[in-house]
Amino acid sequence: MDRLLIVISILLIAGCSTLGVSQKQQPVEILETNPTNVSTVYNQYITIANYFGQQADVPYIARFRVKKGLPSDFKQSFASLSDLSASAVFAYFEKHPEFVVGMQAYLNTIIRRGYISHDTGKRLLRNALRGSIKSLKTTPLP
């Protein structure tokens, strides 16, 4: 009986000492990789930037900030065609840089309905993109 306890004790001690050896150590990362996948909205944003030749100007933070749709105050800010000027669009998207993709959808809708020409829509979308890029480049760090 004593021999059985001794054998069990030896096995337990041997098992515990090899327990630490069999565990793999995880590599230590200096900078954590970002597991976030790039959204389809960001891909649309980059497509717009590519079209206007400004893809190199798009800051990295755009990957995480761009959103679908338009802000709730958009229709109040642009209630009539006279409100939809290039400078007003630029200023608006400096304040709301995340919503350029929503602006593209909105402009496509009003172009199809005959409110503005295709060239006017392109000019407005370019100004929205420029305002967005300018704002995203000056995003304060946390």
Side-chain angles (χ1 to χ4, degrees), residues 108-119:
N108 282 333
T109 300
I110 64 174
I111 288 168
R112 280 189 216 110
R113 293 182 182 170
Y115 289 103
I116 62 172
S117 70
H118 185 262
D119 289 338

Side-chain angles (χ1 to χ4, degrees), residues 55-94:
Q55 68 276 8
D57 298 330
V58 175
Y60 185 76
I61 195 157
R63 293 174 177 259
F64 312 101
R65 295 271 310 270
V66 295
K67 297 177 184 172
K68 198 173 191 175
L70 290 167
S72 59
D73 70 339
F74 181 82
K75 291 198 186 245
Q76 295 165 346
S77 298
F78 300 103
S80 68
L81 282 176
S82 63
D83 297 331
L84 204 56
S85 69
S87 60
V89 167
F90 182 88
Y92 185 82
F93 284 93
E94 272 187 304

Side-chain angles (χ1 to χ4, degrees), residues 23 42 44 56 71 76:
Q23 293 177 348
Y42 175 74
Q44 287 176 276
Q76 295 165 346

